[in-house]
Amino acid sequence: MDSNGDGIGDLPGVISKLDYLSDLGITAIWFSPIFKSPNDDMGYDISDYRDIMDEFGTLDDFKALLKEADRRGIKILLDLVANHTSDEHEWFQKSIRKEDPYTDYYIWRDPKPDGSEPNNWMSHFCPSAWTWNEKREQYYLHLFSKKQPDLNWENPLVREEIYEIAKYWLDMGVSGFRLDTSTMYSKEPGLPDMPGEGYQWAGKFFMNGPRIHEFIKEMNSRVFSKYDCMTVGEASGIGPEESLEYIASSRNEYNMVIQFEPFDTDKDSSSEPWEKREFNPVEFRDIFIHWQEVLADDGWNCLCLSNHDQPRQAGRFAKSEAGAKMLALMLHCQKGTPFVYQGEELGMTNAVFDSAEEYNDIQTKNALRMHEEAGKSFEEVKDLLNYFSRDNARTPMQWTAGEKAGFTSGSPWLKINNNKDKINAASQMVDSDSVWSFYQRLIKIRKESDTLKYGCFINLETAKVPILCFKRAYGNDCYYVLINLSGEPQEYTPPEDYDCDAALVLSNISEVRISSSFVLPPWYAELRKSHN
Ligand code: TEU
Ligand code: CA
């Protein structure tokens, strides 16, 4: 929400919308980075970790936000970006000049004998993960943009700096962190080449590296363990078994991880840039069942289908309002902590980007560069680019059907989705049948139920059909969930354990009478409650 007409959302704007969030029923807000940044990568390139980005306001605005949120029982989490800084950070500028102790705060290497980069690693956002610095006459590593030099976590002084930054915000009253690229701090010693010609994706050499758990344990013992705080680490590339190495209580590392497996169900992420593949609802369902069952006794799921890096879930994993509500019920009735990404509660969808110039996101621009290098025109890849672009999740929040969706009185920093007339908070908050009202009811039901919060998850359907059917049991209380994950009607006979006569608590489509066998409408989702 923009409060000062510059077309950019800001902290005073957020404060003006805290009642909206309180009415929705959420209990904590995770902010993507709000620290000083040149915004090469939407604030994930930080130039001062202890101050607020000019566009968003001041430290006093942030302190006011903490107070206003606290008055409403809402906790604030920040985004700790500890793998890299901005190249405009003073540490990097001093490291270039080899001013101690900053000389080895980053990962500098001499060129190979033939003058080429130290290895053939590909960056997420540009061809090589290395950029030559004229002054220092060395290459520096950047897994992301060239304006995001990787910090050298092998250097204990660097780790100390990160710990002090985290304590600074926790002492101010922040309740925890989402940790960016939280499995990437430890790189393979020697930074070896990947096999193959040209720049290669080297995830195996920088994800889940040899010292990653040592580093996170140290961060936990030096910082997190000393505060009443929550941590959730962004952890692409791991399954549930591996996630327990990060979040099992005995590990004393993170509390939760954001897993990426659902995000790969419509993507062939083996190719650079990504290609689309056929979404399979059974594969999608089994991922959630697998994570629920593996984390059952000693882990805690982060339940999310959207964030600032992902296409909008509504229109991606399910279509129509019924589909948006179904996805919400599916997430919020599982065991773990549900995350609601801004606008998800309205069923906001991907936008339509008509030209390359309309994109802001560095990852989208890099994908277009790779397509063009492969001989494709913008027109040929336009739909693919539009489908996966991170800008879809970043278009301004749709507050009203009015001018600029009620987001700003100025010209918005990024295009506003042209469906704001149909999808906006104002119209949905007064419509008891809206996606927003469904989220509000669902969140309230969950907050008032120990069974939905703490009950065990028991899967009831393993057949390869696009039906998710499970129950949650706690003491002698039991909830039942039955979902059609497909856009087609499904003939279905619930298993014995599914109590068809239990009281219907919530459904996204008027109740479908459950008898011995019946047809589930597309995207149907219901929640029933009974004492077993
Ligand atoms: O994203 C990290 C990220 O994109 C990787 O985990 C990637 O998904 C994985 O290697 C598979 O490709 C975080 C932020 O969420 C993103 O917005 C930033 O651009 C990025 O880090 C750099 O800070
Ligand atoms: Ca503003």
Side-chain angles (χ1 to χ4, degrees):
M1 180 63 196
D2 173 24
S3 71
N4 61 352
D6 66 358
I8 301 170
D10 47 57
L11 297 182
V14 172
I15 292 174
S16 75
K17 292 295 181 181
L18 284 176
D19 285 338
Y20 166 84
L21 292 172
S22 186
D23 290 349
L24 179 59
I26 58 104
T27 53
I29 302 173
W30 151 33
F31 281 97
S32 290
I34 55 175
F35 316 103
K36 282 222 184 311
S37 163
N39 276 305
D40 188 55
D41 178 23
M42 274 289 285
Y44 281 94
D45 47 317
I46 296 167
S47 53
D48 180 350
Y49 284 81
R50 289 181 171 76
D51 202 353
I52 300 299
M53 187 189 301
D54 298 336
E55 295 87 335
F56 293 160
T58 65
L59 263 182
D60 285 342
D61 291 330
F62 182 68
K63 289 171 182 170
L65 170 68
L66 279 173
K67 196 159 78 52
E68 287 305 311
D70 185 51
R71 274 187 343 101
R72 296 166 174 82
I74 294 176
K75 295 188 183 303
I76 302 294
L77 293 130
L78 294 180
D79 203 317
L80 189 57
V81 186
N83 179 68
H84 45 271
T85 70
S86 165
D87 64 341
E88 297 180 26
H89 196 292
E90 64 163 355
W91 298 343
F92 188 69
Q93 292 306 311
K94 291 180 174 176
S95 191
I96 290 172
R97 297 193 296 266
K98 294 191 175 179
E99 279 181 36
D100 273 341
Y102 303 101
T103 308
D104 294 324
Y105 267 39
Y106 296 85
I107 300 172
W108 295 97
R109 292 293 185 279
D110 291 332
K112 281 182 175 165
D114 67 359
S116 65
E117 295 93 349
N119 66 27
N120 64 354
W121 295 7
M122 177 194 285
S123 153
H124 284 78
F125 297 152
C126 51
S128 168
W130 297 90
T131 291
W132 178 256
N133 180 272
E134 283 302 332
K135 281 195 213 116
R136 178 153 168 166
E137 294 192 322
Q138 280 189 303
Y139 281 99
Y140 64 88
L141 179 71
H142 52 82
L143 297 180
F144 293 90
S145 88
K146 56 184 65 169
K147 284 183 68 60
Q148 293 172 290
D150 278 54
L151 284 166
N152 172 17
W153 270 71
E154 303 294 328
N155 182 341
L157 297 179
V158 167
R159 304 202 299 268
E160 285 302 320
E161 298 271 14
I162 297 298
Y163 304 159
E164 288 311 306
I165 289 164
K167 284 154 69 175
Y168 169 84
W169 292 104
L170 290 167
D171 288 337
M172 201 185 291
V174 162
S175 295
F177 299 102
R178 175 265 191 181
L179 289 102
D180 187 58
T181 59
S182 69
T183 62
M184 297 189 187
Y185 310 139
S186 166
K187 276 70 171 175
E188 180 68 24
L191 309 178
D193 273 325
M194 283 291 290
E197 284 309 304
Y199 300 119
Q200 298 290 329
W201 175 253
K204 75 176 197 175
F205 288 146
F206 58 73
M207 289 159 108
N208 312 305
R211 297 184 69 187
I212 187 63
H213 294 292
E214 176 197 338
F215 292 157
I216 300 169
K217 283 183 196 310
E218 185 182 76
M219 186 156 53
N220 182 304
S221 73
R222 295 288 310 282
V223 184
F224 307 146
S225 62
K226 298 187 179 341
Y227 294 83
D228 175 22
C229 72
M230 189 274 269
T231 54
V232 51
E234 180 201 30
S236 52
I238 57 172
E241 293 80 6
E242 212 171 358
S243 81
L244 285 174
E245 292 170 23
Y246 288 94
I247 61 173
S249 47
S250 60
R251 301 288 296 175
N252 297 314
E253 295 188 23
Y254 299 136
N255 297 126
M256 289 189 279
V257 288
I258 298 171
Q259 57 121 341
F260 280 54
E261 291 189 341
F263 301 140
D264 286 340
T265 54
D266 59 357
K267 180 193 296 170
D268 171 4
S269 48
S270 65
S271 66
E272 284 292 343
W274 299 323
E275 292 294 338
K276 267 181 84 173
R277 70 181 169 91
E278 180 71 23
F279 172 70
N280 175 337
V282 179
E283 176 192 350
F284 180 77
R285 175 198 72 177
D286 290 350
I287 286 167
F288 284 98
I289 295 170
H290 187 206
W291 278 79
Q292 284 291 317
E293 291 179 343
V294 172
L295 271 56
D297 303 326
D298 191 11
W300 191 257
N301 275 285
C302 159
L303 302 165
C304 71
L305 283 170
S306 290
N307 60 45
H308 60 291
D309 292 335
Q310 294 298 324
R312 291 268 179 190
Q313 65 193 55
R316 180 183 189 186
F317 301 123
K319 308 234 182 302
S320 78
E321 273 200 13
K325 294 172 182 175
M326 176 275 283
L327 293 173
L329 194 146
M330 189 201 85
L331 281 186
H332 288 249
C333 293
Q334 290 182 53
K335 186 176 180 186
T337 297
F339 283 50
V340 178
Y341 179 67
Q342 69 179 49
E344 170 192 334
E345 76 278 12
L346 303 177
M348 277 176 69
T349 63
N350 273 11
V352 176
F353 293 90
D354 297 308
S355 69
E357 293 64 41
E358 285 193 337
Y359 287 111
N360 169 277
D361 173 30
I362 188 169
Q363 185 183 59
T364 309
K365 292 174 180 178
N366 183 50
L368 176 55
R369 171 190 62 80
M370 287 195 270
H371 284 304
E372 287 173 337
E373 280 173 6
K376 303 220 180 87
S377 70
F378 175 73
E379 281 309 312
E380 283 174 286
V381 298
K382 175 180 175 182
D383 291 345
L384 179 63
L385 223 48
N386 198 147
Y387 183 86
F388 283 125
S389 174
R390 302 190 301 179
D391 280 330
N392 285 299
R394 303 173 181 189
T395 59
M397 179 71 182
Q398 293 158 206
W399 295 109
T400 71
E403 178 75 5
K404 296 165 193 164
F407 169 75
T408 179
S409 57
S411 62
W413 72 280
L414 183 66
K415 79 177 292 184
I416 290 171
N417 196 317
N418 55 25
N419 64 10
K420 52 121 176 127
D421 299 358
K422 289 198 320 304
I423 298 178
N424 63 76
S427 59
Q428 291 197 26
M429 289 178 77
V430 295
D431 170 2
S432 64
D433 198 30
S434 68
V435 177
W436 189 89
S437 296
F438 190 86
Y439 266 82
Q440 187 190 44
R441 274 200 293 283
L442 189 54
I443 291 170
K444 184 172 186 308
I445 290 165
R446 182 191 165 89
K447 273 162 84 171
E448 291 168 358
S449 160
D450 285 347
T451 304
L452 289 178
K453 282 189 281 193
Y454 310 116
C456 62
F457 171 97
I458 300 161
N459 183 43
L460 298 177
E461 184 57 76
T462 53
K464 291 301 173 203
V465 291
I467 307 283
L468 176 60
C469 181
F470 64 87
K471 71 180 189 181
R472 301 287 310 281
Y474 193 68
N476 66 4
D477 204 38
C478 208
Y479 276 89
Y480 298 91
V481 176
L482 175 57
I483 287 174
N484 176 358
L485 284 164
S486 77
E488 293 77 38
Q490 298 291 337
E491 174 97 26
Y492 185 64
T493 304
E496 276 299 300
D497 268 4
Y498 192 85
D499 181 353
C500 298
D501 299 319
L504 184 71
V505 175
L506 185 65
S507 70
N508 63 346
I509 299 169
S510 56
E511 180 184 353
V512 171
R513 187 58 211 134
I514 291 185
S515 55
S516 60
S517 166
F518 58 104
V519 178
L520 289 175
W523 318 118
Y524 180 75
E526 70 170 33
L527 175 66
R528 292 181 181 273
K529 179 176 180 342
S530 75
H531 287 290
N532 59 17

